[in-house]
Amino acid sequence: MEHVPLITGFTIMSLSTLLIYLSGRKKAAIKNHVMMHALVTFIAATAYLAMALGVGNYLSDNGTTIYFARYIDWTVTTPILLAGLVMIAFHEYGPSSQMNGYLTAIIGLDIIMVVTGLLSSLADTFMVKAIWYLWSCMAFLGVLFLLWRPLRKIAITRALTTAGGYYKNITLLTLVWLLYPVVFLVGPEGLHLVSDAASVWSFLVLDVIAKVFYAFYAARVLAKSFQTTTIDSTTV
Ligand code: RET
């Protein structure tokens, strides 16, 4: 178990939750998005605390530690991040929009991606590990396809004020998310080319970009799209 990166992760995610909340709570136009991002880091802080305290860390027969809290974190936080993007793509559709089933589809694929990633991590033989890893990658490709094809088209044709913001956000998200399967593959849960410590540190760096940096980036990009001036929320 890697105490230093796990406690570091807990500290960064806790402080980030406060910072994201405090910096965005008065921006009425993007408040919903700010709350979603603060919830993501809050859940991550909780997961890092559980991992640091040794709750849900499973030592498999071949000596690999599997952190269940990490997969529970991803199962909850990645749908929140994707839901934010679907909402941006459908921005100008109005409150009656059912989002054409895209919300259900993208969250479904995303949850399958995370759960089958966990199955790959738990598998004993190389073959079974590889099958679940590839299955997870297929679901991930489905997520990326929805973001880059139908949802991007919808954002361009309908969500005129936020289309640019949508594009910038999916670009950053795709670049960072693509690194997760790479870190998994070279880490102890995959080919074991690097140590548990290196793997935990790498996931921490990715988490800071995907959850914390992305929160501020998305808030800036969206606020620009809306051309909002800060409004005191008590007046709205
Ligand atoms: C796994 C391993 C199996 C193959 C694939 C994976 C993808 C994981 C991703 C995780 C993203 C997590 C984020 C969390 C932030 O809150 C499960 C590692 C494709 C893309 C962004």
Side-chain angles (χ1 to χ4, degrees):
M1 231 187 59
E2 302 302 330
H3 280 103
V4 178
L6 295 174
I7 301 274
T8 309
F10 167 68
T11 313
I12 294 176
M13 292 301 165
S14 306
L15 294 176
S16 300
T17 306
L18 271 177
L19 267 178
I20 294 168
Y21 173 74
L22 293 176
S23 67
R25 74 189 196 287
K26 290 190 175 167
K27 295 179 182 146
I30 59 163
K31 210 166 163 183
N32 198 21
H33 287 276
V34 168
M35 290 305 149
M36 288 168 101
H37 286 292
L39 182 59
V40 165
T41 49
F42 197 179
I43 293 166
T46 313
Y48 273 104
L49 184 59
M51 292 188 271
L53 294 176
V55 180
N57 300 346
Y58 164 74
L59 191 65
S60 75
D61 291 344
N62 58 20
T64 304
T65 306
I66 294 147
Y67 300 96
F68 275 91
R70 175 180 289 154
Y71 292 92
I72 297 172
D73 167 332
W74 290 351
T75 311
V76 185
T77 57
T78 50
I80 296 173
L81 294 172
L82 293 173
L85 282 169
V86 177
M87 284 161 62
I88 296 172
F90 277 86
H91 185 62
E92 253 116 2
Y93 268 63
S96 63
S97 161
Q98 294 295 305
M99 302 194 190
N100 298 353
Y102 284 113
L103 195 57
T104 313
I106 204 162
I107 289 179
L109 286 168
D110 175 74
I111 290 175
I112 290 171
M113 171 189 85
V114 177
V115 172
T116 53
L118 172 63
L119 296 183
S120 173
S121 159
L122 288 168
D124 288 329
T125 65
F126 177 80
M127 191 66 171
V128 180
K129 221 177 233 310
I131 289 172
W132 286 124
Y133 183 83
L134 291 175
W135 192 258
S136 174
C137 287
M138 297 291 287
F140 186 30
L141 286 179
V143 169
L144 293 179
F145 171 78
L146 291 178
L147 287 177
W148 283 93
R149 291 294 284 274
L151 287 167
R152 188 166 59 108
K153 266 195 191 145
I154 287 163
I156 291 168
T157 49
R158 296 294 297 272
L160 294 174
T161 50
T162 52
Y166 175 82
Y167 183 77
K168 283 185 182 156
N169 282 355
I170 57 165
T171 305
L172 175 65
L173 182 137
T174 304
L175 290 175
V176 187
W177 284 38
L178 275 172
L179 295 172
Y180 279 84
V182 177
V183 170
F184 178 99
L185 188 66
V186 297
E189 291 161 289
L191 301 172
H192 212 156
L193 303 177
V194 303
S195 67
D196 187 33
S199 160
V200 174
W201 277 114
S202 307
F203 275 128
L204 174 57
V205 172
L206 291 185
D207 275 350
V208 170
I209 305 172
K211 299 179 212 263
V212 181
F213 179 77
Y214 181 70
F216 289 108
Y217 181 82
R220 251 193 80 158
V221 164
L222 267 189
K224 257 193 190 162
S225 316
F226 289 130
Q227 300 200 320
T228 29
T229 43
T230 307
I231 311 166
D232 187 329
S233 57
T234 52
T235 63
V236 199

